[in-house]
Amino acid sequence: MEARPMASVKPRVFWAALTGCLFCSGVSTAFADGEVNVYSYRQPELIQPLLDAFTKETGIETNVLFLDKGLVERIQAEGVNSPADILLTVDIARLVEAKEGGVTQPVLNDPVIQKDIPANLRDPEGEWFGLTTRGRVVYASRDRVTQKDITYEELSDPKWKGRICIRDGQHSYNIALFASMIAHHGVDYTREWLTGLKNNLARKPDGTDRTQAKSIFSGECDIALGNTYYVGLMLTNDKEPEEKEWAGAVRVIFPNAADRGTHVNISGVAMTKYAPNRDNALKLMEFLASGEAQEIYAKEVFEYPVLPGAQPSDVVKGFGPIKPDPLSLTEIAAHRKEASELVDEVGFNEGPSN
Ligand code: FE
């Protein structure tokens, strides 16, 4: 989700030790029992329905600190006195950053989490797990693209020359996709593939995933790469109805549906290293792994629940079925650095060179 600065939607927010009160509601006491403190990269309005359901079910109050960056650094700076219990975020890059930054602790042998969350979507050492997935799919022009199936590999085929749009190659969403290509095909193949993709671009990589849908709507390009949930967000955007037109110009094609499946990334959760409310944090994590919570969350954010059997929103179902690539997120994370180096090496962000 694009981070957008916003105020808390909840009056009951908490005081954070080092840098003072972010939301300044006058709450400055130590935390009572019966609470859990969530540091979130996800916007408060997206997670509030979920947290409200948790409070209703357990009686445990939740406090949210939202920042669009720097949460790991903040937890590091707060050290043993950090009030954070739970870190809620999107993208494997940020989950790995939290683990490598030493701000998480393993949650192992929890029967609910171990049983319900697929192994490829959680850390083998138990330091994070996925809550929802998002596919990195092809947005295809409804008017100008007739083919129904596509593969990522095919995006380097010269038949797409001048027809593809994409955001910055170094963005974490693209890096994870490119890292998955390295995991499947190796560095040499991926270098050649990225060069082919770059030479098929209609313009230099730019904008957000939404921008790519706009570029298809305007006729600048015929296909683009973007995350599934943006199509849902745009199709239902009553505040900026022009986005409905952009999304309406686009058909979602799930790449590699006939073979390994579509690359997915996750939103996920981790328990912080010094969680002061560990028992409540574990209850919240178990709740997040439940079918009830998964459906609330997935519908709010137009993503896919990780729990088998839990349903996404009707809008998302309307894209058709997704077959996710079962590659482990840990394997993808292991190739992120190589992917980033390849993006620079082939001059991806400079756009087409011939
Ligand atoms: Fe996003």
Side-chain angles (χ1 to χ4, degrees), residues 297-313:
Y297 193 34
K299 282 175 182 167
E300 197 70 30
V301 296
F302 296 101
E303 294 182 292
Y304 298 92
V306 294
L307 192 67
Q311 299 297 312
S313 71

Side-chain angles (χ1 to χ4, degrees), residues 134-137 152 167 173-174 177 209 225-227 255 262-263:
R134 61 274 295 279
R136 191 131 187 90
V137 295
Y152 296 113
R167 75 190 305 165
Y173 301 160
N174 284 332
L177 170 63
D209 284 359
L225 280 166
N227 286 351
T262 297
H263 166 69

Side-chain angles (χ1 to χ4, degrees), residues 98-113:
K99 180 183 176 184
E100 291 178 351
V103 303
T104 57
Q105 64 168 304
V107 177
L108 283 171
N109 306 321
D110 182 89
V112 176
I113 295 166

